[in-house]
Amino acid sequence: MMPVDSPDSPVASVALSSSSRRKPAALHRCRFPDWSPTPVAALSITPPSFDTAALGFGGTSAERGVLAVGRASGDVELMCWGGHQGWIAWRTTLSPSDLSLYAHDLPGAEREVNRLQSEGVRLFGVGGTGSELVEWEWGGPGGKKEVGRIKSTLPTLPPIFALAASRSSSHLAIACEDSTIRILSILDDELELVGKIEVGGPGKVRALSLAWGFPGEVAPEADEEEGDAKSVLPPHFATPLSTTLIAGLSNSTLVTLSSATPALSLWSRTHRMTVDKVPGEATVVWAVAVLPDDTAVSGDSMGNVKFWDLKMGTQKESWRAGKADILCLAVGSDGTTVFTSGVDQRTTEFRKVAITSSRSNNKTTSRWIQSSGRRLHAHDVRAMVISPPFLGPLPASHALSTSSTKHSKAIVPVLTSAGLDLSLVTVCASASSTPALHNPISETVSTEFETTIHRKASYVPQRGQAFAVAREARLLVARRPRGVGIWRVSQSAMSGSGAGKAKWRREEEEDEKEEGWGKVAELELKLQTNLVASAVSSDGKWLAVSDLYETKLFRLSLKNGQVSPHRQKTFSTSLSDSLPTSLGTGSSALAFSPDSSTLVLATAFGSYVAVIGLPKSGGEDFDVKAVWGDHAVRSSKGRETRGRGGKANGKTNGVNGVAHDESDEEESDEDEEMEVDGEAVKGDKPATVACLSVSQDGKWLASADLERKVCVFDLEGLKHFTTLPTPSQVPTTLSFLPTVSSSNEPTLLLAYPNNSLSLFGLTTHRFLSWSLPLSSLRSNTLMDIREPLIGVTFESQPTKSREENGMGKVHESRRALVGADLVAVVWGANWVARIDLAELREGKVAGKSVRRDADRKRARDEKEGVSGVEAKEVDIKVTRKYSPLVLFDFIGHGELVAVEKVWADLARGMPDAFVRNAEFGT
């Protein structure tokens, strides 16, 4: 632990103090927790034909599709484009490790494209020991199963090294360890093995990279003799068939394979191309791609990038693009650029240029040149994608050719890459700058790869915080994929006087062994999947963790300075008996009440919200007080209708378009089929609950799901209280404002990924008018920050029992927020902000503005202002002293804890990065 900050610390004076008379709070800067995110193993993005607007998130989310980020831990993070904040986390799908991702659609006829947009895309991965092909339900439109469930599987395969989907989205190629490539048919939501290709003797030659050629001739129609009727569609509506497959092998070669049968059951080798190699050592072809002009590009273990003529099977050009292995490559959106990267962390751009030579009678020819190179990462680069992805050439009359561009607009291509340095790096990838197009990454006007500025996103998870604190017990809990670590943070001896600070420093010097913290428990758990959620009670007596299928509850007891966890085995039985679902007791979100008497959870399957009373004594009698299925309701008219006008949950909307029920009648327990917008809709695919929040007085519970439905429940009356109007984004976190007195209106704060905030009054059932500037780009300067918001915290109010036990007897310097103040501490991965809500309510405005000219222009260009409210900047104080932050929260009255995980600490546990030898002129 690092020393407590001095009074002139930026975060102490900026994040907390609201006047010069107030002293700063103590801050514990912690870097000791042994937690680290996992590297990125694969990237994939939905095809251009997939309409991301069908997800219903609005804004700029539909511009660049859905990005799937496969982590080495097995988790798949699905992200949508958030405009100014870049890629924003949407949901996480748990998967086995060693992922390769494939986003599948079914293009072709116009009716097939429309069906795709209603049914969604398919996501495949390699699970288990690497020998099982798994398809997961990822939550796209039209999905029939719950998120996280396995839709189909193809087991009993040798270990899989590579996956590739045909451009017609009809077949999937799998490169296996037994020197074979298996061809699967994935049409009509099926998964069937139709072909097998031998690329070498068993155990001798293995295919490590695959790429399909562009569609050739139209697939022939079925014979009437086989009983299938001929298609009545015009010829250009038929789905084009990919019959060429390029494989990069482990024996210094590439092979071109072709099939003459429509079913792709029989294959033959057309060409064999050899790359450079060192005598006595084979070169591995790690990456391969196909370009529209019958050209293939490959990257190998010698750092060479080669371009091949597929018609003749000969090498066209060769470049030394890296000092070490080329592990990945991506084709630009227009097909005229290629980007490569690998072990030496250098991203290289190749461009296709036109050349006119007098030797060829001034005939114009094209060739590839190495145009630029930049070092964007600090470790190996494992994957990269371009958004929007390259679609490839199609006939002008083809249905997909017209439908994919019918409603599209010109946007700047963005290259996204990732690897062992944990972070996503985004950079503009235009072949030339177009002044009319806005740079989505930075304020730089240039959008060319070689001259623009890139952005490196933080590796801190945007959703599902991995750390939590028990304020009364002063415990810090870290959730890892397969375990939990618990530390105790000592109470600071810092006081408001200089003598107290000097005494603290003197004691620190006298006893260097006294670190101010200590690890008290380490739990390694037996799980079916990685952990999804965790929570610890404020008194430190209860710990709840959950994977996708089971929630485990532990009672924590302190013995000899160590915390002993005891699992409550009857908890799972009591919970499963009360839940309507039979798919397990796994939770997507967990929360304890501030008095540690109640556990609230949202089930991963079914999205039921359950309230469980915890035993006060040492017994194991758990009382499931209530189970609500409001998040299982899905509107038949699409996601945009939820919470707006008409009826919601079969009840008439109240004030401001919000449904609420003031009667004492008990709600029906029939959650499988409900009345929504006047139509009966079966809740067979409920939305996953992303976050929960319990008010500090324990009276209210708020929940938000990934369909943007926000519900409030009355924990005293154990009933659903109201449903908020549908927000424009999925809330990142929810938090209730501290209730200073009974006359104050209970208020819920909603924080969004674009760093905007909104406050909803539970008495008036309206968004508070004085808080509207927090959701306006013209007034909220936090929306200028490119790093998305992660958390919001308030200091809890001291209770009478705490005062009697001496827990509330703290120095005035650490009671800065105790009282009538409503100060919100808002934080992201690289920033911390303080917002005095009391001053905002009183109408006080900001002082001298410090916004940049680019941010001012963006605010002026905002189409929708705050209705009825003058556009004045809110007084928000921001500091960037602490980063990257994994947690920033109160651990006691007037005491904050900041958990930082810097790259230098994380790099110690990784293999050494490749270091290039010094060369003249570099």
Side-chain angles (χ1 to χ4, degrees):
M1 174 182 293
M2 302 186 66
V4 179
D5 279 359
S6 60
D8 57 352
S9 168
V11 74
S13 59
V14 171
L16 298 180
S17 63
S18 58
S19 68
S20 59
R21 296 175 297 174
R22 251 186 218 108
K23 302 294 180 63
L27 175 66
H28 300 269
R29 297 182 65 181
C30 305
R31 296 182 179 179
F32 54 82
D34 50 345
W35 172 92
S36 64
T38 53
V40 176
L43 295 174
S44 182
I45 196 165
T46 51
S49 57
F50 174 69
D51 185 9
T52 312
L55 298 177
F57 296 144
T60 59
S61 62
E63 291 183 356
R64 301 188 181 276
V66 178
L67 176 68
V69 182
R71 297 279 179 177
S73 63
D75 295 344
V76 182
E77 300 175 12
L78 301 178
M79 313 183 84
C80 295
W81 186 254
H84 194 64
Q85 281 72 31
W87 292 110
I88 299 297
W90 173 34
R91 65 165 20 118
T92 299
T93 300
L94 300 181
S95 304
S97 58
D98 300 327
L99 274 177
S100 289
L101 301 178
Y102 157 62
H104 160 71
D105 71 327
L106 191 61
E110 184 69 34
R111 59 183 179 85
E112 292 177 333
V113 175
N114 293 335
R115 186 177 68 175
L116 161 69
Q117 295 175 351
S118 63
E119 292 184 356
V121 301
R122 300 171 68 182
L123 179 66
F124 291 93
V126 181
T129 59
S131 60
E132 183 177 17
L133 180 68
V134 180
E135 180 185 1
W136 296 88
E137 177 59 66
W138 62 277
K144 300 179 181 180
K145 296 185 179 180
E146 298 192 42
V147 176
R149 294 188 65 183
I150 297 177
K151 292 179 61 178
S152 58
T153 178
L154 191 66
T156 66
L157 290 175
I160 299 172
F161 290 152
L163 296 177
S166 64
R167 299 183 184 274
S168 60
S169 297
S170 58
H171 293 82
L172 185 69
I174 306 174
C176 299
E177 188 185 29
D178 62 349
S179 302
T180 62
I181 301 174
R182 288 168 167 81
I183 308 298
L184 305 176
S185 174
I186 50 178
L187 281 172
D188 300 324
D189 209 26
E190 297 294 334
L191 188 62
E192 179 185 2
L193 181 64
V194 297
K196 185 177 180 181
I197 310 170
E198 294 285 346
V199 296
K204 294 181 180 180
V205 180
R206 297 167 181 171
L208 300 177
S209 55
L210 297 171
W212 288 82
F214 284 91
E217 297 180 358
V218 173
E221 298 171 335
D223 272 343
E224 293 183 353
E225 297 178 358
E226 298 177 1
D228 296 332
K230 292 185 177 181
S231 174
V232 295
L233 293 172
H236 64 270
F237 274 142
T239 302
L241 186 65
S242 299
T243 59
T244 304
L245 183 65
I246 314 299
L249 308 181
S250 60
N251 64 344
S252 310
T253 61
L254 289 88
V255 293
T256 303
L257 306 166
S258 60
S259 176
T261 60
L264 304 186
S265 57
L266 299 177
W267 291 79
S268 62
R269 179 179 298 182
T270 306
H271 297 293
R272 180 178 182 271
M273 298 162 284
T274 304
V275 300
D276 300 340
K277 63 178 180 179
V278 178
E281 183 178 350
T283 300
V284 179
V285 181
W286 291 116
V288 64
V290 179
L291 303 174
D293 57 350
D294 288 323
T295 300
V297 57
S298 65
D300 57 44
S301 57
M302 293 188 66
N304 295 327
V305 174
K306 295 180 179 293
F307 293 85
W308 307 88
D309 186 343
L310 292 181
K311 290 183 177 180
M312 303 301 295
T314 57
Q315 177 180 304
K316 298 173 62 176
E317 298 170 53
S318 179
W319 300 91
R320 184 69 184 275
K323 300 293 184 180
D325 300 49
I326 300 297
L327 300 179
C328 56
L329 57 85
V331 180
S333 299
D334 57 358
T336 62
T337 55
V338 173
F339 298 88
T340 65
S341 190
V343 175
D344 70 345
Q345 310 112 41
R346 187 171 185 263
T347 302
T348 305
E349 179 190 21
F350 295 88
R351 289 186 185 180
K352 186 179 182 180
V353 297
I355 299 177
T356 302
S357 174
S358 59
R359 296 182 179 181
S360 59
N361 298 325
N362 294 326
K363 182 180 179 181
T364 301
T365 59
S366 62
R367 61 168 298 182
W368 289 87
I369 64 170
Q370 183 175 336
S371 59
S372 62
R374 301 174 59 184
R375 190 173 183 268
L376 305 179
H377 290 265
H379 217 297
D380 299 8
V381 183
R382 296 293 180 88
M384 57 172 50
V385 293
I386 293 281
S387 172
F390 177 53
L391 179 61
L394 285 174
S397 58
H398 194 272
L400 184 58
S401 175
T402 57
S403 64
S404 61
T405 59
K406 185 176 181 180
H407 304 289
S408 62
K409 66 176 182 178
I411 59 176
V412 176
V414 171
L415 172 67
T416 304
S417 57
L420 292 185
D421 63 353
L422 312 174
S423 300
L424 291 179
V425 173
T426 53
V427 61
C428 293
S430 296
S432 60
S433 291
T434 304
L437 297 181
H438 170 67
N439 188 329
I441 304 299
S442 65
E443 282 74 27
T444 308
V445 177
S446 173
T447 58
E448 295 185 37
F449 172 77
E450 59 183 332
T451 58
T452 188
I453 297 176
H454 70 282
R455 186 199 306 177
K456 191 170 187 177
S458 175
Y459 44 75
V460 177
Q462 297 179 14
R463 291 190 181 274
Q465 296 182 20
F467 282 80
V469 295
R471 295 187 177 183
E472 295 181 18
R474 305 184 64 83
L475 296 180
L476 180 63
V477 178
R479 182 184 77 245
R480 305 189 192 91
R482 294 282 173 172
V484 174
I486 305 177
W487 294 263
R488 180 186 295 276
V489 180
S490 301
Q491 187 167 2
S492 170
M494 174 183 177
S495 63
S497 63
K501 300 170 196 171
K503 179 181 178 182
W504 184 86
R505 292 193 180 96
R506 188 164 55 251
E507 292 176 352
E508 185 75 12
E509 294 174 357
E510 292 175 357
D511 189 3
E512 296 181 356
K513 297 182 179 179
E514 184 63 29
E515 296 178 319
W517 61 273
K519 193 169 190 177
V520 294
E522 179 68 34
L523 283 72
E524 294 294 336
L525 306 173
K526 294 182 179 179
L527 306 167
Q528 300 183 55
T529 67
N530 293 339
L531 288 177
V532 179
S534 62
V536 61
S537 61
S538 181
D539 61 3
K541 295 182 179 180
W542 298 99
L543 173 67
V545 297
S546 177
D547 61 7
L548 192 62
Y549 298 101
E550 183 181 12
T551 301
K552 303 177 187 290
L553 182 65
F554 296 89
R555 186 191 296 269
L556 305 180
S557 58
L558 182 63
K559 295 182 180 178
N560 301 325
Q562 296 292 316
V563 171
S564 300
H566 302 279
R567 183 182 175 186
Q568 308 300 293
K569 297 182 179 180
T570 60
F571 172 78
S572 296
T573 303
S574 302
L575 181 59
S576 61
D577 292 343
S578 303
L579 293 177
T581 179
S582 60
L583 297 176
T585 60
S587 301
S588 61
L590 296 163
F592 285 95
S593 61
D595 60 0
S596 305
S597 64
T598 304
L599 170 64
V600 181
L601 60 85
T603 60
F605 297 127
S607 298
Y608 295 100
V609 178
V611 181
I612 303 101
L614 304 177
K616 297 182 180 180
S617 59
E620 295 189 8
D621 297 329
F622 298 96
D623 179 21
V624 181
K625 299 180 179 179
V627 176
W628 295 299
D630 296 81
H631 291 283
V633 179
R634 192 173 188 179
S635 172
S636 62
K637 297 183 180 181
R639 308 181 182 207
E640 294 292 341
T641 61
R642 175 168 292 171
R644 298 182 180 179
K647 296 182 179 180
N649 300 344
K651 304 168 188 176
T652 304
N653 278 0
V655 184
N656 201 20
V658 183
H660 62 280
D661 182 18
E662 298 180 354
S663 66
D664 295 329
E665 297 179 1
E666 297 183 358
E667 299 183 15
S668 173
D669 293 330
E670 298 295 328
D671 294 320
E672 292 297 320
E673 188 167 335
M674 298 186 178
E675 183 77 12
V676 182
D677 293 330
E679 298 181 20
V681 180
K682 190 173 182 180
D684 58 347
K685 188 195 170 187
T688 303
V689 176
C691 49
L692 297 170
S693 179
V694 182
S695 62
Q696 292 188 8
D697 56 10
K699 296 181 180 180
W700 304 101
L701 167 67
S703 61
D705 62 32
L706 295 178
E707 304 290 339
R708 300 175 295 141
K709 183 178 183 179
V710 182
C711 297
V712 178
F713 302 92
D714 182 357
L715 291 182
E716 289 186 339
L718 295 178
K719 62 180 181 180
H720 174 267
F721 179 74
T722 187
T723 299
L724 275 64
T726 306
S728 60
Q729 293 181 304
V730 179
T732 299
T733 184
L734 304 173
S735 182
F736 285 93
L737 270 62
T739 303
V740 179
S741 63
S742 58
S743 60
N744 291 100
E745 178 182 13
T747 305
L748 174 65
L749 184 147
L750 298 88
Y752 305 102
N754 64 348
N755 299 339
S756 64
L757 306 172
S758 60
L759 275 68
F760 185 84
L762 301 186
T763 302
T764 59
H765 293 274
R766 288 184 178 273
F767 286 103
L768 304 180
S769 59
W770 58 265
S771 68
L772 294 181
L774 294 174
S775 59
S776 171
L777 180 60
R778 300 181 182 181
S779 305
N780 186 355
T781 55
L782 290 181
M783 300 177 69
D784 299 336
I785 302 176
R786 290 193 177 272
E787 295 86 4
L789 177 151
I790 296 180
V792 178
T793 184
F794 295 90
E795 185 174 19
S796 58
Q797 302 298 314
T799 60
K800 182 177 180 181
S801 60
R802 291 173 181 170
E803 294 283 356
E804 294 174 351
N805 296 333
M807 300 187 67
K809 298 178 180 180
V810 295
H811 195 274
E812 293 180 358
S813 64
R814 299 204 299 274
R815 299 172 67 101
L817 299 184
V818 178
D821 292 345
L822 290 176
V823 178
V825 179
V826 186
W827 60 278
N830 299 308
W831 55 273
V832 180
R834 162 202 165 274
I835 306 176
D836 195 325
L837 299 178
E839 292 184 354
L840 179 63
R841 183 173 54 188
E842 295 170 2
K844 297 182 179 180
V845 298
K848 185 178 180 181
S849 175
V850 294
R851 300 183 85 171
R852 296 173 299 178
D853 292 340
D855 295 328
R856 287 180 179 274
K857 182 179 183 302
R858 198 168 62 92
R860 288 195 302 268
D861 294 341
E862 184 186 25
K863 294 182 179 180
E864 297 181 1
V866 180
S867 177
V869 180
E870 186 179 357
K872 297 181 180 179
E873 293 183 11
V874 181
D875 188 11
I876 301 176
K877 302 298 190 300
V878 181
T879 180
R880 289 181 176 270
K881 181 178 179 180
Y882 309 100
S883 66
L885 285 171
V886 187
L887 178 71
F888 197 89
D889 200 356
F890 286 94
I891 198 169
H893 292 292
E895 283 188 86
L896 285 159
V897 58
V899 180
E900 300 171 289
K901 295 303 294 183
V902 297
W903 167 250
D905 295 339
L906 297 174
R908 293 193 186 102
M910 296 182 179
D912 294 336
F914 177 83
V915 179
R916 295 179 295 175
N917 295 327
E919 295 181 2
F920 178 76
T922 61

